[in-house]
Amino acid sequence: MQYLTLYQLYQKMLAIMGPQGWWPADSKFEIILGAILVQNTNWKNVEKSLANIKSVTDFAPEEVSKLDKEHLISLIRPSGFYKNKSKAIMDVFQWLREYNFDLEKIKIAHQGKLRQQLLSLHGIGEETADVLLLYVFDEKVFVADKYTQKLFTFLQVEGIKNYRSLKKLIPVLDNFSLEQAQEFHGLLDEFGKIYVKNQPAFATSFLEGYRLILTKRKQGSYE
């Protein structure tokens, strides 16, 4: 058995898999749309919906916020759950409109409480909120999605029951830069698509035989 800290896991994945270049988007407003649309579907379906929205708005947030519900539903239908997702998009972009779509102004207005604010918006759950914090608002947060929950379970981390339980084990990413935190999520997601379907699949991966150690530090954070 070989042991890895969280940062060593990142370094090993990066060395073997190479940079993933996540999140795939040309603007932060496109990222917001993608993060909502990808819920409960695959990225190929999201790409179709994003192409539809781009053809009408070019991802200009002002134009997205002006879309009426029926038009928006027609654009995002390929992503499924379109009624709920259309409401989420409309609510989020109306909220952004209150700040003139100034993301820095939003960060300043909600210092330390931005995650709670995001969670109060329709259709924004814990995973989506953390994705938005990481890729849109440039905060170093850990995204404890299902791929990562399964991977860390295979790496013998105990006590993982759901998103929140893993999130509590990794409250901060002290040793990571913002770019590394963003890259880490991309690596975990791409690894998960291939290797965490089941134990036999994981056994063929380069992480077979490793155990992840989350070492508690005096400050109360983990590395």
Coordinates of all heavy atoms in Angstrom, one line a residue, residues 84-151:
N84 N -37.4 23.2 -15.1 CA -36.6 23.5 -13.9 C -35.4 24.3 -14.2 O -35.0 25.3 -13.6 CB -36.3 22.3 -13.1 CG -35.7 22.6 -11.7 OD1 -36.4 23.3 -10.9 ND2 -34.5 22.1 -11.4
K85 N -34.7 23.9 -15.3 CA -33.4 24.5 -15.7 C -33.7 25.9 -16.2 O -32.9 26.8 -16.0 CB -32.7 23.7 -16.6 CG -32.1 22.4 -16.0 CD -31.4 21.6 -17.0 CE -30.9 20.3 -16.4 NZ -30.1 19.4 -17.4
S86 N -34.8 26.1 -16.9 CA -35.1 27.4 -17.5 C -35.4 28.4 -16.3 O -34.9 29.6 -16.3 CB -36.3 27.4 -18.4 OG -37.5 27.0 -17.7
K87 N -36.1 27.9 -15.3 CA -36.4 28.8 -14.1 C -35.1 29.1 -13.4 O -34.8 30.3 -13.0 CB -37.3 28.1 -13.2 CG -37.6 29.0 -11.9 CD -38.8 28.4 -11.1 CE -39.0 29.1 -9.8 NZ -39.1 30.6 -10.0
A88 N -34.2 28.1 -13.3 CA -32.9 28.4 -12.6 C -32.1 29.4 -13.4 O -31.5 30.4 -12.8 CB -32.1 27.1 -12.5
I89 N -32.0 29.3 -14.7 CA -31.3 30.3 -15.5 C -31.9 31.7 -15.4 O -31.2 32.7 -15.2 CB -31.2 29.8 -17.0 CG1 -30.3 28.6 -17.2 CG2 -30.7 31.0 -17.9 CD1 -30.4 27.9 -18.5
M90 N -33.2 31.7 -15.5 CA -33.8 33.0 -15.4 C -33.6 33.7 -14.0 O -33.3 34.9 -13.9 CB -35.3 32.9 -15.7 CG -35.6 32.5 -17.1 SD -37.4 32.2 -17.4 CE -38.0 33.9 -17.4
D91 N -33.7 32.9 -13.0 CA -33.5 33.4 -11.6 C -32.1 33.9 -11.4 O -31.8 35.0 -10.9 CB -33.8 32.4 -10.6 CG -35.3 32.2 -10.4 OD1 -36.1 32.8 -11.1 OD2 -35.8 31.5 -9.4
V92 N -31.1 33.1 -11.9 CA -29.7 33.4 -11.7 C -29.3 34.7 -12.5 O -28.7 35.6 -11.9 CB -28.8 32.2 -12.1 CG1 -27.3 32.7 -12.2 CG2 -28.9 31.1 -11.1
F93 N -29.8 34.8 -13.7 CA -29.4 35.9 -14.5 C -30.2 37.2 -14.1 O -29.6 38.3 -14.3 CB -29.6 35.6 -16.0 CG -28.4 34.9 -16.6 CD1 -28.2 33.5 -16.4 CD2 -27.4 35.6 -17.3 CE1 -27.1 32.9 -16.9 CE2 -26.3 35.0 -17.8 CZ -26.1 33.6 -17.6
Q94 N -31.4 37.0 -13.5 CA -32.0 38.2 -12.9 C -31.3 38.7 -11.7 O -31.1 39.9 -11.5 CB -33.5 37.9 -12.6 CG -34.4 37.8 -13.8 CD -34.4 39.0 -14.7 OE1 -34.4 40.1 -14.2 NE2 -34.3 38.8 -16.0
W95 N -30.7 37.8 -10.9 CA -29.9 38.1 -9.8 C -28.6 38.8 -10.2 O -28.2 39.8 -9.7 CB -29.6 36.8 -9.0 CG -28.6 37.0 -7.9 CD1 -28.7 37.7 -6.7 CD2 -27.2 36.5 -7.8 NE1 -27.6 37.6 -5.9 CE2 -26.7 36.9 -6.6 CE3 -26.5 35.6 -8.7 CZ2 -25.4 36.5 -6.2 CZ3 -25.2 35.3 -8.3 CH2 -24.7 35.7 -7.1
L96 N -28.0 38.3 -11.3 CA -26.8 38.9 -11.8 C -27.1 40.3 -12.3 O -26.3 41.2 -12.2 CB -26.2 38.1 -12.9 CG -25.6 36.7 -12.6 CD1 -25.3 35.9 -13.8 CD2 -24.4 36.8 -11.7
R97 N -28.3 40.5 -12.9 CA -28.7 41.8 -13.4 C -28.8 42.8 -12.3 O -28.5 44.0 -12.6 CB -30.0 41.6 -14.1 CG -30.5 42.8 -14.9 CD -31.8 42.6 -15.6 NE -32.2 43.7 -16.5 CZ -31.9 43.7 -17.7 NH1 -31.2 42.7 -18.3 NH2 -32.2 44.7 -18.5
E98 N -29.1 42.4 -11.1 CA -29.2 43.4 -10.0 C -27.8 44.0 -9.7 O -27.8 45.1 -9.1 CB -29.7 42.7 -8.7 CG -31.1 42.2 -8.8 CD -31.6 41.3 -7.6 OE1 -30.8 41.3 -6.6 OE2 -32.6 40.7 -7.7
Y99 N -26.8 43.4 -10.1 CA -25.4 43.9 -9.9 C -24.8 44.3 -11.2 O -23.5 44.4 -11.3 CB -24.5 42.8 -9.3 CG -25.0 42.4 -7.9 CD1 -26.0 41.4 -7.7 CD2 -24.6 43.1 -6.7 CE1 -26.4 41.0 -6.5 CE2 -25.0 42.7 -5.5 CZ -25.9 41.7 -5.3 OH -26.4 41.3 -4.1
N100 N -25.6 44.5 -12.2 CA -25.1 44.9 -13.6 C -24.2 43.9 -14.2 O -23.2 44.3 -14.9 CB -24.5 46.3 -13.5 CG -25.5 47.4 -13.2 OD1 -26.6 47.4 -13.7 ND2 -25.2 48.3 -12.3
F101 N -24.3 42.6 -13.8 CA -23.5 41.5 -14.3 C -22.0 41.7 -13.9 O -21.1 41.2 -14.6 CB -23.7 41.4 -15.8 CG -25.1 41.2 -16.2 CD1 -25.8 42.3 -16.7 CD2 -25.8 40.0 -16.0 CE1 -27.2 42.2 -17.1 CE2 -27.1 39.9 -16.3 CZ -27.8 41.0 -16.9
D102 N -21.8 42.5 -12.8 CA -20.4 42.7 -12.4 C -20.1 41.7 -11.3 O -20.5 41.8 -10.2 CB -20.3 44.1 -11.8 CG -18.9 44.5 -11.4 OD1 -18.1 43.6 -11.1 OD2 -18.6 45.7 -11.5
L103 N -19.3 40.7 -11.7 CA -19.0 39.5 -10.8 C -18.2 40.0 -9.6 O -18.3 39.4 -8.5 CB -18.3 38.4 -11.6 CG -19.1 37.8 -12.8 CD1 -18.2 36.8 -13.5 CD2 -20.4 37.2 -12.3
E104 N -17.3 40.9 -9.8 CA -16.4 41.4 -8.7 C -17.3 42.1 -7.7 O -17.1 42.0 -6.5 CB -15.3 42.3 -9.3 CG -14.3 42.6 -8.2 CD -13.5 41.4 -7.7 OE1 -13.3 40.4 -8.5 OE2 -13.2 41.3 -6.5
K105 N -18.3 42.9 -8.2 CA -19.2 43.6 -7.3 C -20.0 42.6 -6.4 O -20.2 42.8 -5.2 CB -20.2 44.5 -8.1 CG -21.1 45.3 -7.2 CD -22.1 46.1 -8.1 CE -21.4 47.2 -8.9 NZ -22.4 48.0 -9.6
I106 N -20.4 41.5 -7.0 CA -21.1 40.4 -6.3 C -20.2 39.8 -5.2 O -20.7 39.6 -4.1 CB -21.6 39.3 -7.3 CG1 -22.7 39.9 -8.2 CG2 -22.1 38.1 -6.5 CD1 -23.1 39.0 -9.3
K107 N -18.9 39.6 -5.5 CA -18.0 39.0 -4.6 C -17.9 39.9 -3.4 O -17.9 39.5 -2.2 CB -16.7 38.7 -5.2 CG -16.6 37.5 -6.1 CD -15.2 37.3 -6.6 CE -14.3 36.8 -5.4 NZ -13.0 36.4 -5.9
I108 N -17.7 41.2 -3.6 CA -17.6 42.2 -2.6 C -18.8 42.3 -1.7 O -18.8 42.4 -0.5 CB -17.2 43.6 -3.2 CG1 -15.8 43.5 -3.8 CG2 -17.3 44.7 -2.1 CD1 -15.5 44.7 -4.6
A109 N -20.0 42.2 -2.4 CA -21.3 42.4 -1.6 C -21.5 41.2 -0.7 O -22.2 41.3 0.3 CB -22.4 42.6 -2.6
H110 N -21.0 40.0 -1.1 CA -21.4 38.8 -0.3 C -20.1 38.1 0.3 O -20.0 36.9 0.3 CB -22.1 37.8 -1.3 CG -23.4 38.3 -1.8 ND1 -24.5 38.3 -1.0 CD2 -23.7 38.8 -3.0 CE1 -25.5 38.7 -1.8 NE2 -25.0 39.1 -3.0
Q111 N -19.2 39.0 0.7 CA -17.9 38.4 1.2 C -18.2 37.4 2.3 O -18.9 37.7 3.3 CB -17.1 39.6 1.8 CG -16.4 40.4 0.8 CD -15.4 41.4 1.4 OE1 -15.3 41.5 2.6 NE2 -14.8 42.2 0.5
G112 N -17.6 36.2 2.1 CA -17.8 35.1 3.1 C -19.1 34.4 3.1 O -19.3 33.4 3.7
K113 N -20.1 35.0 2.4 CA -21.4 34.4 2.4 C -22.0 34.2 0.9 O -23.1 34.0 0.7 CB -22.4 35.3 3.1 CG -22.1 35.5 4.6 CD -23.1 36.3 5.3 CE -22.7 36.4 6.8 NZ -23.7 37.3 7.5
L114 N -21.0 34.1 0.0 CA -21.5 34.0 -1.4 C -22.1 32.6 -1.7 O -23.0 32.5 -2.4 CB -20.3 34.3 -2.4 CG -20.6 34.2 -3.9 CD1 -21.8 35.1 -4.2 CD2 -19.4 34.6 -4.7
R115 N -21.5 31.6 -1.0 CA -22.0 30.2 -1.2 C -23.5 30.1 -0.7 O -24.3 29.6 -1.4 CB -21.1 29.2 -0.5 CG -21.5 27.7 -0.8 CD -20.5 26.8 -0.2 NE -20.6 25.4 -0.7 CZ -21.3 24.5 -0.2 NH1 -22.0 24.7 0.9 NH2 -21.3 23.3 -0.7
Q116 N -23.7 30.7 0.4 CA -25.1 30.7 0.9 C -26.1 31.4 0.0 O -27.2 31.0 -0.2 CB -25.2 31.3 2.3 CG -24.4 30.6 3.4 CD -23.0 31.1 3.6 OE1 -22.2 31.2 2.7 NE2 -22.7 31.4 4.9
Q117 N -25.6 32.5 -0.6 CA -26.4 33.3 -1.5 C -26.7 32.5 -2.8 O -27.8 32.4 -3.2 CB -25.7 34.6 -1.9 CG -26.4 35.4 -3.0 CD -27.8 35.8 -2.7 OE1 -28.1 36.2 -1.5 NE2 -28.7 35.7 -3.6
L118 N -25.7 31.8 -3.3 CA -25.9 30.9 -4.5 C -26.9 29.8 -4.2 O -27.8 29.5 -5.0 CB -24.6 30.4 -4.9 CG -23.6 31.4 -5.5 CD1 -22.2 30.7 -5.7 CD2 -24.1 31.9 -6.9
L119 N -26.8 29.2 -3.0 CA -27.7 28.1 -2.6 C -29.1 28.6 -2.5 O -30.0 27.8 -2.5 CB -27.2 27.5 -1.3 CG -25.9 26.7 -1.4 CD1 -25.4 26.2 0.0 CD2 -26.1 25.4 -2.3
S120 N -29.3 29.9 -2.3 CA -30.7 30.4 -2.1 C -31.4 30.6 -3.5 O -32.6 30.8 -3.5 CB -30.6 31.8 -1.4 OG -30.1 32.8 -2.2
L121 N -30.6 30.5 -4.6 CA -31.2 30.7 -5.9 C -31.8 29.4 -6.4 O -31.3 28.3 -6.1 CB -30.1 31.1 -6.9 CG -29.4 32.5 -6.5 CD1 -28.2 32.7 -7.5 CD2 -30.4 33.6 -6.6
H122 N -32.9 29.5 -7.1 CA -33.6 28.3 -7.6 C -32.6 27.4 -8.5 O -31.9 27.9 -9.4 CB -34.8 28.7 -8.5 CG -35.5 27.6 -9.0 ND1 -36.5 26.9 -8.3 CD2 -35.4 26.9 -10.2 CE1 -37.0 25.9 -9.0 NE2 -36.4 25.9 -10.2
G123 N -32.6 26.2 -8.2 CA -31.9 25.2 -9.0 C -30.4 25.1 -8.8 O -29.7 24.4 -9.5
I124 N -29.9 25.8 -7.8 CA -28.5 25.8 -7.4 C -28.3 25.0 -6.2 O -28.6 25.4 -5.1 CB -27.9 27.2 -7.2 CG1 -28.2 28.1 -8.5 CG2 -26.4 27.2 -6.9 CD1 -27.6 27.6 -9.7
G125 N -27.8 23.8 -6.3 CA -27.5 22.9 -5.2 C -26.0 23.1 -4.8 O -25.3 23.9 -5.3
E126 N -25.6 22.2 -3.9 CA -24.2 22.4 -3.4 C -23.1 22.2 -4.4 O -22.2 23.0 -4.5 CB -24.0 21.3 -2.2 CG -24.9 21.6 -1.0 CD -24.5 20.8 0.2 OE1 -24.8 19.6 0.2 OE2 -23.8 21.3 1.1
E127 N -23.3 21.2 -5.3 CA -22.2 21.0 -6.3 C -22.2 22.1 -7.3 O -21.1 22.7 -7.6 CB -22.5 19.7 -7.0 CG -21.4 19.4 -8.1 CD -21.7 18.1 -8.8 OE1 -22.3 17.2 -8.3 OE2 -21.1 18.0 -10.0
T128 N -23.3 22.6 -7.8 CA -23.4 23.7 -8.7 C -22.8 25.0 -8.1 O -22.1 25.7 -8.7 CB -24.8 23.9 -9.3 OG1 -25.3 22.7 -9.8 CG2 -24.8 25.0 -10.3
A129 N -23.2 25.2 -6.8 CA -22.7 26.4 -6.1 C -21.2 26.4 -6.0 O -20.5 27.4 -6.3 CB -23.3 26.5 -4.7
D130 N -20.6 25.2 -5.7 CA -19.1 25.1 -5.6 C -18.5 25.3 -7.0 O -17.4 25.9 -7.1 CB -18.7 23.8 -5.0 CG -19.0 23.8 -3.5 OD1 -19.0 24.9 -2.9 OD2 -19.2 22.7 -2.9
V131 N -19.1 24.7 -8.0 CA -18.5 24.9 -9.4 C -18.5 26.4 -9.8 O -17.5 26.9 -10.3 CB -19.4 24.1 -10.4 CG1 -19.0 24.6 -11.8 CG2 -19.1 22.6 -10.3
L132 N -19.6 27.1 -9.4 CA -19.6 28.5 -9.7 C -18.6 29.3 -8.9 O -18.0 30.2 -9.4 CB -21.0 29.1 -9.5 CG -22.2 28.5 -10.3 CD1 -23.5 29.1 -10.0 CD2 -21.9 28.7 -11.8
L133 N -18.4 28.9 -7.7 CA -17.4 29.6 -6.8 C -16.0 29.4 -7.4 O -15.2 30.3 -7.5 CB -17.5 29.1 -5.4 CG -18.6 29.5 -4.5 CD1 -18.6 28.7 -3.2 CD2 -18.6 31.0 -4.3
L134 N -15.8 28.2 -7.9 CA -14.4 27.8 -8.3 C -14.1 28.4 -9.7 O -13.0 29.0 -9.9 CB -14.3 26.3 -8.4 CG -13.0 25.7 -8.9 CD1 -11.9 26.1 -8.0 CD2 -13.1 24.2 -8.9
Y135 N -15.1 28.3 -10.6 CA -14.8 28.7 -12.0 C -15.3 30.1 -12.4 O -14.8 30.7 -13.4 CB -15.3 27.7 -13.0 CG -14.6 26.4 -12.9 CD1 -15.2 25.3 -12.3 CD2 -13.3 26.2 -13.5 CE1 -14.5 24.1 -12.2 CE2 -12.7 25.0 -13.4 CZ -13.3 23.9 -12.8 OH -12.6 22.7 -12.7
V136 N -16.3 30.6 -11.7 CA -16.8 31.9 -12.0 C -16.3 33.0 -11.1 O -16.0 34.1 -11.5 CB -18.4 31.9 -12.0 CG1 -19.0 33.3 -12.3 CG2 -18.9 30.9 -13.1
F137 N -16.3 32.7 -9.8 CA -16.0 33.7 -8.8 C -14.5 33.5 -8.3 O -14.1 34.2 -7.3 CB -17.0 33.7 -7.7 CG -18.4 34.1 -8.1 CD1 -19.4 33.2 -8.3 CD2 -18.6 35.5 -8.3 CE1 -20.6 33.6 -8.7 CE2 -19.9 35.9 -8.7 CZ -20.9 34.9 -8.9
D138 N -13.8 32.6 -8.8 CA -12.4 32.4 -8.6 C -12.1 32.2 -7.1 O -11.2 32.9 -6.5 CB -11.6 33.6 -9.1 CG -11.7 33.7 -10.6 OD1 -11.9 32.7 -11.3 OD2 -11.5 34.8 -11.2
E139 N -12.8 31.4 -6.4 CA -12.5 31.0 -5.1 C -12.0 29.6 -5.0 O -12.5 28.7 -5.7 CB -13.8 31.1 -4.2 CG -14.3 32.6 -4.0 CD -15.3 32.7 -3.0 OE1 -15.6 31.8 -2.2 OE2 -15.9 33.8 -2.9
K140 N -11.0 29.3 -4.2 CA -10.4 28.0 -4.1 C -11.4 27.1 -3.2 O -11.3 27.1 -2.0 CB -9.1 28.0 -3.4 CG -8.0 28.7 -4.2 CD -6.6 28.4 -3.6 CE -6.5 29.0 -2.2 NZ -5.1 28.7 -1.7
V141 N -12.2 26.4 -3.9 CA -13.1 25.4 -3.2 C -13.0 24.1 -3.8 O -12.5 23.9 -4.9 CB -14.6 25.9 -3.2 CG1 -14.8 27.3 -2.6 CG2 -15.1 25.9 -4.7
F142 N -13.4 23.1 -3.0 CA -13.3 21.7 -3.4 C -14.7 21.2 -3.8 O -15.7 21.4 -3.1 CB -12.8 20.8 -2.3 CG -12.6 19.4 -2.6 CD1 -11.5 19.0 -3.4 CD2 -13.5 18.4 -2.2 CE1 -11.4 17.6 -3.7 CE2 -13.4 17.1 -2.5 CZ -12.3 16.7 -3.3
V143 N -14.8 20.6 -5.0 CA -16.1 20.1 -5.6 C -16.1 18.7 -5.3 O -15.4 17.9 -5.9 CB -16.2 20.4 -7.1 CG1 -17.5 19.9 -7.6 CG2 -16.0 21.9 -7.4
A144 N -17.0 18.3 -4.4 CA -17.1 16.9 -3.9 C -18.1 16.1 -4.7 O -19.0 15.5 -4.1 CB -17.4 16.9 -2.4
D145 N -18.0 16.1 -6.0 CA -19.1 15.4 -6.8 C -19.0 13.9 -6.7 O -18.2 13.3 -6.0 CB -19.0 15.9 -8.2 CG -17.6 15.5 -8.9 OD1 -16.9 14.6 -8.4 OD2 -17.3 16.0 -10.0
K146 N -20.0 13.3 -7.3 CA -20.1 11.8 -7.2 C -18.9 11.0 -7.7 O -18.5 10.0 -7.1 CB -21.4 11.3 -7.9 CG -22.7 11.8 -7.2 CD -23.9 11.2 -7.9 CE -25.2 11.7 -7.2 NZ -26.4 11.2 -7.8
Y147 N -18.3 11.5 -8.7 CA -17.0 10.8 -9.2 C -16.0 10.9 -8.1 O -15.3 9.9 -7.8 CB -16.5 11.5 -10.4 CG -17.2 11.2 -11.7 CD1 -17.4 12.3 -12.7 CD2 -17.6 9.9 -12.1 CE1 -18.0 12.0 -13.9 CE2 -18.2 9.7 -13.3 CZ -18.4 10.7 -14.2 OH -19.0 10.4 -15.4
T148 N -15.8 12.0 -7.5 CA -14.8 12.2 -6.4 C -15.2 11.4 -5.2 O -14.3 10.8 -4.5 CB -14.6 13.7 -6.1 OG1 -14.3 14.4 -7.3 CG2 -13.5 13.9 -5.1
Q149 N -16.4 11.4 -4.8 CA -16.9 10.6 -3.7 C -16.5 9.1 -3.9 O -16.0 8.4 -3.0 CB -18.4 10.7 -3.5 CG -18.8 12.1 -3.0 CD -20.3 12.2 -3.1 OE1 -21.1 11.3 -2.7 NE2 -20.8 13.3 -3.5
K150 N -16.8 8.6 -5.1 CA -16.5 7.2 -5.4 C -15.0 6.9 -5.4 O -14.5 5.9 -4.8 CB -17.1 6.7 -6.7 CG -18.6 6.7 -6.6 CD -19.2 6.1 -7.9 CE -18.9 4.6 -8.1 NZ -19.6 4.1 -9.3
L151 N -14.2 7.8 -6.0 CA -12.8 7.7 -6.1 C -12.2 7.7 -4.7 O -11.3 6.8 -4.4 CB -12.1 8.8 -6.9 CG -10.6 8.9 -6.9 CD1 -10.0 7.6 -7.3 CD2 -10.1 10.1 -7.6

